[in-house]
Amino acid sequence: MIDPQRLLDWRFEETVQAYNERDTTIYNLGIGLGADPMDAGQLRFVTIEKDLLAFPTMAVVLARPPSISADPRSGINRTMVVHGEQGLELLRPLAPAGRVRSAARVSAVVDKGPGKGAVIYVESTLSDDASGAPIARLWSSTFARADGGFGGSSEAPRTPHRIPEGRAPDAVCDLPTFPNQALLYRLNGDLNPLHSDPATARRAGFERPILHGLCTYGVCAHAVLRSYCGYDPARLRGFDLRFSAPVIPGETISVEMWREGEVVSFRALVRARNAKVVDNGRAVVAS
């Protein structure tokens, strides 16, 4: 059973990671960039020998702290864990190669009640290792589906962003995923067998391995960068969303977007099975 105070007191060691242009290209390919090899905008992110660009959401996989749910001391049933929310504030463009450092902490533990699960919030800062200059601030929530009822607070620390109502989206971007995409995306470091092993996926209640939430996150950011930023990564300043259902590799993700000034609200659907897979999305884009 979860002990909320133990999680709030959890000590993360600072994590340092050096990465290079090959790592950046693997990330970019893993979220589907380069699917159209004739699209000059996408090629800027996958042509390693020619002014390679880092995709902004790569910040969420660099120097990631160890997963709490993978540690038996947490009391979390790892098999029943899914990514709940992810947020990112970009303070400067990400370089295609470098050495970075992250510092993390558990900011909240929410008890949704017996049979309803728990939500664990983690915040971190990604910085350049040499200069100490911050690159990005990140936050995420983990939904531990089997671990509610430990008597903790039920108050969530964040209010979901509201999608505009009563009008059609200003833009819609359909992006395909591929049957083997989770196997490629896991090369970024998330080796959870939920995304690669059919038996593990079935034990978790899925017919087959599901796409990483952070891969879906990158696909949605691709839709915003393509639709509103002209594939200029420096224009994306913030990117938050809530995962509402898993994506099966091979499905097409349809991202609906509404723009109001520098804020792009969005949600994502898999229309083939009438599923909303992302909700409450908020991107901040510079003009």
Side-chain angles (χ1 to χ4, degrees), residues 221-242:
H222 178 186
V224 172
L225 221 70
R226 177 176 177 170
S227 301
Y228 290 108
C229 300
Y231 279 116
D232 179 358
R235 292 179 60 191
L236 187 65
R237 304 294 176 80
F239 200 74
D240 302 351
L241 56 72
R242 182 173 64 86

Side-chain angles (χ1 to χ4, degrees), residues 87-134:
L88 171 65
E89 178 189 4
L90 289 148
L91 306 175
R92 65 188 67 230
L94 188 65
R99 184 178 173 89
V100 292
R101 177 183 296 269
S102 74
R105 68 181 184 92
V106 175
S107 58
V109 180
V110 177
D111 185 1
K112 297 176 73 67
K116 298 180 180 180
V119 185
I120 300 94
Y121 289 83
V122 174
E123 297 180 357
S124 62
T125 300
L126 184 72
S127 303
D128 180 79
D129 185 48
S131 68

